[in-house]
Amino acid sequence: MGTEKKKALLVGAGPAGLTAAYELLKKTDIHPVVLEATDVIGGISQTVKYKGNRMDIGGHRFFSKNDAIMQWWNQVMPIQGSQSKDDILLGNNDKPLQKGGPDPEKEERVMLYRDRVSRIFFLRKFFDYPISLKFSTFANMGLWRTLKSGFGYIYSQLFKRPEDSLENFYVNRFGKPLYSLFFEGYTEKVWGVHPSKLGADWGSQRVKGLSVYAILKDAIMKPFMKDDVSQKKVETSLIEQFIYPKFGPGQLWETVADDVCEMGGELFMNHQVICVNVENGRVVSVDCRRSTDDVIVNVPCDYLMSTMPLKDLIAAIQGVEVPADVKRIASELPYRDFITVGLLLDKMKIKNETKIKTYANRVPDTWIYVQERDVKVGRLQVFNNWSPYMVKDYENTMFVGLEYFCNEGDDLWRMNDEEFIAMAIDELVKIDIIDSDAVLDATRVKIKKAYPAYFGSYYELDKVKQFLDGIENLYCLGRNGQHRYNNMDHSMMTAMVAVDNIKNGIKDKSAIWNVNTETEYHEKRN
């Protein structure tokens, strides 16, 4: 790993780490070395391959209101059309997929335009997500729930609650009845705690300006909006179009990793950082455990850009006294872990009752939020609809992902694969989405620390940030690196801002921490 250039170590081969490596190579003379603890590229943005089928862990819509991010994606993987197997089978040949060049492999390096369809499955019926004010919504809710929701919304606008919890954040925007119907149970299913115990910070980041007013405004303005995939004038939660790598999000990050190596960077898989060595207020090296042979490797550096969970980073720091308070806060930071069950089906019981044309009248949804309280599954992905190239036999099978939210070590986490898959199948049968004999094959994937959570010691995080900022050449990036539930483009932005800081000799790291805290979604960069 020796080199005469200044060296930056990037901990983690996910969106933030790989973006930082790519930007360093493009903008500086610093040599990037990426250290990835696992044998997988992309972090939670990976694509899991199973017998020719592909799973997107968590579902990743590629869109951003930041021009730099959109241009970055297009540079790495050109946006070259919308035609897919679905389009061909339906005869939609008006937007042919262009070839990528003389290199056959690069013909596969493309982004497709996709339409986002997400709905809520509740009361054994479908509701638009975000909740729309269509007649079908009120018909599904029934007269009494509709009247109650209307009066509840009016009351919420007259008597605002203090936004000191996620519950109050939602009630202020939708009223108590709508919140109770569509947000309360699902949010508790996702986070494992009641929304009254969660901070409003999560709502301000993830659903931003979403409200009944925003939904009405979007419905009125939609016919007049320019066809633009960045959709800058559209509320983030109301985005209806996105771009998507032909073979899933992992394809883009695998491509970036290849490009980093081709440009002279280095990538070492199965290298888990276990010790961060600090001298005189600077990181001088890290110790890695190489899982292939259990050997400890010391790697010197001039800069350390970390995407590892703050809990693990603080525990790994050596050579400087870490205040007891900082250790406690970091060790108690809450996370939510994640399990996906992939089911290969010959068909689903639910049919397409929308106006969207689909092959074999399949449901058009990219994902379905399962609000039913008698099952544990939180969300259902239909990989056919993310990209038809995700499914080996697209014409005859459907590949779906059942998403479960849990804590490492709890009952769900400890269940073996066979028991868990059987439970998942039983749940879809119970809510009439499939018949049990429709399942052709199944697999299970477990992801640790998928979602940084907003309760407990999270509210003391500033003390941890202040300590880390005191280490001059250490930069914390990405979702787990900042303990913030960032979208993919936000994670990339933390890397871009950090590289700009290094290039321009800026010591103040507040701009890095402040990505995804601005109301304008960081549409401009200096």
Side-chain angles (χ1 to χ4, degrees):
M1 296 184 189
T3 178
E4 295 180 359
K5 291 183 177 180
K6 284 190 174 181
K7 181 190 297 182
L9 299 183
L10 299 309
V11 184
L18 288 172
T19 299
Y22 192 94
E23 291 286 291
L24 286 168
L25 288 163
K26 289 285 187 179
K27 295 181 176 179
T28 74
D29 291 326
I30 298 169
H31 179 69
V33 178
V34 182
L35 303 171
E36 168 56 44
T38 72
D39 59 356
V40 177
I41 296 292
I44 196 174
S45 298
Q46 65 186 270
T47 300
V48 176
K49 299 172 184 176
Y50 180 72
K51 297 183 181 179
N53 299 295
R54 291 171 167 82
M55 300 169 61
D56 181 344
I57 301 299
H60 292 83
R61 291 176 289 150
F62 284 69
F63 72 88
S64 180
K65 296 185 179 184
N66 185 289
D67 291 337
I69 297 292
M70 295 297 292
Q71 292 165 5
W72 199 96
W73 282 332
N74 191 42
Q75 180 181 9
V76 172
M77 190 171 286
I79 304 167
Q80 293 193 356
S82 67
Q83 190 182 54
S84 65
K85 293 178 184 178
D86 197 51
D87 297 313
I88 294 168
L89 291 166
L90 290 170
N92 299 333
N93 296 316
D94 56 324
K95 295 181 180 178
L97 180 64
Q98 302 297 316
K99 296 295 184 180
D103 184 347
E105 291 186 6
K106 288 187 177 180
E107 293 182 7
E108 302 299 319
R109 287 177 55 166
V110 294
M111 291 272 208
L112 302 174
Y113 284 111
R114 306 303 293 165
D115 291 324
R116 171 256 183 98
V117 181
S118 300
R119 291 182 295 171
I120 293 169
F121 192 70
F122 180 52
L123 305 173
R124 305 309 198 250
K125 299 173 184 177
F126 279 107
F127 294 81
D128 289 342
Y129 177 81
I131 290 297
S132 68
L133 303 181
K134 297 176 182 176
F135 174 77
S136 60
T137 301
F138 304 128
N140 286 345
M141 287 172 59
L143 180 61
W144 170 241
R145 289 192 186 95
T146 299
L147 290 173
K148 189 176 178 182
S149 296
F151 286 119
Y153 174 69
I154 293 171
Y155 184 87
S156 73
Q157 300 312 293
L158 295 173
F159 303 98
K160 292 287 187 181
R161 296 185 176 196
E163 293 197 350
D164 52 7
S165 70
L166 185 58
E167 177 175 66
N168 287 353
F169 177 91
Y170 278 131
V171 170
N172 280 347
R173 284 153 182 78
F174 295 94
K176 183 67 183 294
L178 276 176
Y179 155 75
S180 298
L181 280 172
F182 294 108
F183 296 97
E184 185 176 20
Y186 181 78
T187 302
E188 188 166 10
K189 189 184 288 189
V190 171
W191 293 108
V193 297
H194 192 268
S196 61
K197 307 294 184 184
L198 285 167
D201 311 45
W202 186 89
S204 63
Q205 281 185 216
R206 298 299 295 185
V207 297
K208 302 197 182 287
L210 182 62
S211 65
V212 170
Y213 171 76
I215 293 168
L216 279 169
K217 179 183 174 184
D218 179 72
I220 294 169
M221 297 301 297
K222 190 179 297 182
F224 305 101
M225 289 181 181
K226 182 181 176 182
D227 185 15
D228 175 10
V229 76
S230 69
Q231 301 159 95
K232 291 183 180 181
K233 295 182 181 180
V234 181
E235 188 58 49
T236 301
S237 296
L238 301 176
I239 292 293
E240 291 189 350
Q241 190 181 54
F242 59 95
I243 53 176
Y244 195 75
K246 187 174 180 179
F247 295 106
Q251 182 194 13
L252 181 131
W253 297 112
E254 290 161 12
T255 298
V256 174
D258 289 342
D259 289 349
V260 165
C261 293
E262 285 180 13
M263 289 189 289
E266 295 180 272
L267 170 62
F268 294 90
M269 307 297 291
N270 299 300
H271 278 62
Q272 181 183 8
V273 173
I274 58 172
C275 186
V276 175
N277 302 304
V278 179
E279 293 180 8
N280 300 319
R282 293 178 61 87
V283 179
V284 294
S285 69
V286 303
D287 294 334
C288 301
R289 176 177 288 112
R290 196 165 57 200
S291 62
T292 51
D293 54 13
D294 207 32
V295 169
I296 305 298
V297 181
N298 179 264
V299 189
C301 66
D302 298 286
Y303 305 94
L304 180 65
M305 307 176 83
S306 171
T307 71
M308 63 197 291
L310 288 179
K311 175 182 287 190
D312 299 335
L313 174 62
I314 291 295
I317 290 176
Q318 302 291 326
V320 62
E321 183 178 355
V322 181
D325 227 16
V326 171
K327 285 184 179 179
R328 175 190 60 79
I329 294 165
S331 68
E332 294 176 359
L333 282 172
Y335 298 85
R336 197 68 164 149
D337 305 293
F338 190 71
I339 298 173
T340 298
V341 172
L343 295 183
L344 186 67
L345 309 171
D346 61 6
K347 62 182 178 301
M348 300 175 75
K349 287 180 70 174
I350 50 176
K351 298 296 182 183
N352 180 18
E353 296 179 354
T354 71
K355 295 180 180 179
I356 301 169
K357 288 185 177 180
T358 59
Y359 178 69
N361 203 36
R362 294 168 176 167
V363 290
D365 306 76
T366 46
W367 57 47
I368 298 168
Y369 295 90
V370 182
Q371 301 277 42
E372 306 292 16
R373 301 187 184 190
D374 54 345
V375 291
K376 294 183 175 67
V377 61
R379 198 167 61 180
L380 179 67
Q381 285 198 72
V382 185
F383 299 119
N384 300 58
N385 297 331
W386 285 96
S387 167
Y389 298 96
M390 300 278 280
V391 186
K392 182 178 180 180
D393 184 2
Y394 175 82
E395 295 185 49
N396 298 304
T397 64
M398 300 182 71
F399 196 41
V400 302
L402 289 74
E403 299 179 348
Y404 290 84
F405 309 95
C406 60
N407 293 325
E408 183 182 355
D410 67 12
D411 291 343
L412 289 177
W413 190 266
R414 292 197 309 270
M415 288 177 68
N416 64 44
D417 288 349
E418 184 177 346
E419 291 174 329
F420 200 102
I421 289 169
M423 178 197 71
I425 293 170
D426 288 344
E427 289 202 332
L428 285 197
V429 171
K430 181 178 183 178
I431 58 178
D432 298 319
I433 287 181
I434 66 170
D435 289 320
S436 58
D437 60 3
V439 180
L440 305 174
D441 203 351
T443 186
R444 179 169 78 146
V445 178
K446 298 161 74 174
I447 302 290
K448 296 179 181 179
K449 295 183 175 68
Y451 303 122
Y454 287 49
F455 58 91
S457 67
Y458 163 78
Y459 288 104
E460 301 177 84
L461 191 58
D462 281 348
K463 294 179 182 178
V464 177
K465 289 159 61 175
Q466 184 177 6
F467 168 76
L468 292 171
D469 283 350
I471 302 175
E472 182 181 346
N473 61 341
L474 171 64
Y475 301 85
C476 295
L477 314 177
R479 177 178 283 193
N480 277 330
Q482 294 194 338
H483 201 86
R484 181 175 292 134
Y485 196 161
N486 286 326
N487 281 328
M488 183 164 44
D489 60 332
H490 295 129
S491 292
M492 294 172 64
M493 280 296 300
T494 63
M496 291 177 172
V497 174
V499 170
D500 287 347
N501 274 19
I502 291 171
K503 178 184 176 182
N504 298 317
I506 299 171
K507 304 295 184 183
D508 183 5
K509 300 171 187 173
S510 59
I512 305 170
W513 290 104
N514 287 339
V515 169
N516 194 21
T517 63
E518 303 297 327
T519 58
E520 292 303 313
Y521 203 78
H522 289 266
E523 292 184 15
K524 296 181 180 179
R525 291 177 65 217
N526 295 325

